[in-house]
Amino acid sequence: MTQTRFDVLTIGNAIVDIIAPVEAGFIEREGMQEGIMHLIDTDRAEELYSKMPLSRQQISGGSAANTAAGVASLGGRAAFVGKVADDVLGDVFDSDLSAVGVHYSTSRLKNGALTARSMIFLSEDGERTMNTYLGACHQLTEADIRPDDIGGAAITYMEGFLWDPVEAKKAFVLAAHYAHKHERAAAFTLSDPFCVDRFRPEFLDLIRSKTVDYVFANVHELKSLYETDDLGEAVRAIAQDAELAAITMGAEGAMAVYNGEVVSVPAFPVDKVVDATGAGDLFAAGFLLGMARGQNLESSLKTGCLAASEVISHIGARPQLDLADLSRQHGLAG
């Protein structure tokens, strides 16, 4: 097995998060329901973007991209594969991800859909109203999977949110094939109970066929996967099906299930949970980096929980502190 170029390579939706405050009455005038996420088409995406104030924040987003950014913040070598268009927001995504130390070189989509965006309008009372346009990110294909990049990553990690488009599914399976060809691990996150409900047979097949080696889930996703309200039953089932499962339990911490062994760690205390967005993404970053660097399950779980504790203490799905420094302070440097 050759030396790795990357500790973790992630594959998923390439989305630009655009956040802007709006005055009273804007949400109602635009026909939106406050506090709800709306899926929108190209025309609506362009219309709403043109109405956002220039004070807007624009940052690269998407679950797997957040995980890659977390790996980089922890001092790891991270790469991301995801599709943006050859447009202004594609430039934003590219430069922003590169600026945080993530290798990103997926070819741009030309003459097609626009770069995906999640436009988040903040009302004066702090309520968040989201309008999501998926656009180019759903155009990922097998042609975007580079064997040398996958083969050069200790772990390739893919998000369930991108399991809907047929061509993206093929890309995921091909990536797992290249990972295994180079004796690397392939990992997959269930992403959301809604994804599990839609694709349960396919997700179970991915796991049972050993297409993926590591499975990430929270308690709700895991119970949904096995259609049970009993966490113990779900844990026993995933122990039979997956080589390794990492399960987040919110304030209760996290557990890993491997070869019949269950290892649990408590959550790191936080003064106040400000925004839970990105908690699972950052947990995955810490756990994946720990595994990629040969840490044991307990240490990998602790690194994941520490990263998650940082991101939930402020607004936004990206760390504000240097996670490498934070992990060293807790004796978790890998």
Side-chain angles (χ1 to χ4, degrees), residues 67-130:
T67 295
V71 170
S73 181
L74 283 159
R77 299 164 299 160
F80 174 73
V81 176
K83 204 76 168 175
V84 297
D86 193 16
D87 57 17
V88 172
L89 285 182
D91 293 339
V92 169
F93 186 91
D94 190 336
S95 62
D96 185 67
L97 205 58
S98 298
V100 298
V102 176
H103 174 82
Y104 177 62
S105 61
T106 308
S107 62
R108 302 281 190 96
L109 181 68
K110 299 181 184 295
N111 304 316
L114 305 174
T115 294
R117 66 206 64 181
S118 179
M119 289 172 283
I120 305 164
F121 296 96
L122 298 178
S123 303
E124 292 176 338
D125 62 358
E127 186 66 77
R128 299 156 68 93
T129 303
M130 299 172 65

Side-chain angles (χ1 to χ4, degrees), residues 201-286:
E202 294 174 64
F203 284 1
L204 285 169
D205 182 64
L206 275 177
I207 300 165
R208 289 170 176 166
S209 68
K210 309 305 179 186
T211 301
V212 296
D213 309 297
Y214 304 165
V215 180
F216 287 74
N218 64 27
V219 169
H220 303 296
E221 293 154 7
L222 188 67
K223 288 179 178 179
S224 176
L225 184 66
Y226 292 103
E227 298 182 275
T228 179
D229 291 326
D230 185 330
L231 177 59
E233 181 182 337
V235 169
R236 288 189 292 273
I238 197 71
Q240 291 292 318
D241 288 343
E243 176 186 332
L244 170 66
I247 304 152
T248 56
M249 302 181 293
E252 300 302 312
M255 73 169 73
V257 185
Y258 177 67
N259 278 347
E261 178 188 12
V262 179
V263 178
S264 301
V265 302
F268 281 84
V270 295
D271 292 335
K272 181 182 179 182
V273 177
V274 176
D275 181 4
T277 307
D281 303 338
L282 270 293
F283 167 82

Side-chain angles (χ1 to χ4, degrees), residues 130-142:
M130 299 172 65
N131 291 264
T132 301
Y133 166 71
L134 295 172
C137 75
H138 270 198
Q139 303 301 313
L140 189 78
T141 71
E142 289 177 308

Side-chain angles (χ1 to χ4, degrees), residues 73-75 306 322-334:
S73 181
L74 283 159
L306 181 65
D322 184 307
L323 293 182
D325 283 344
L326 189 63
S327 61
R328 280 191 290 270
Q329 292 169 22
H330 287 82
L332 294 171

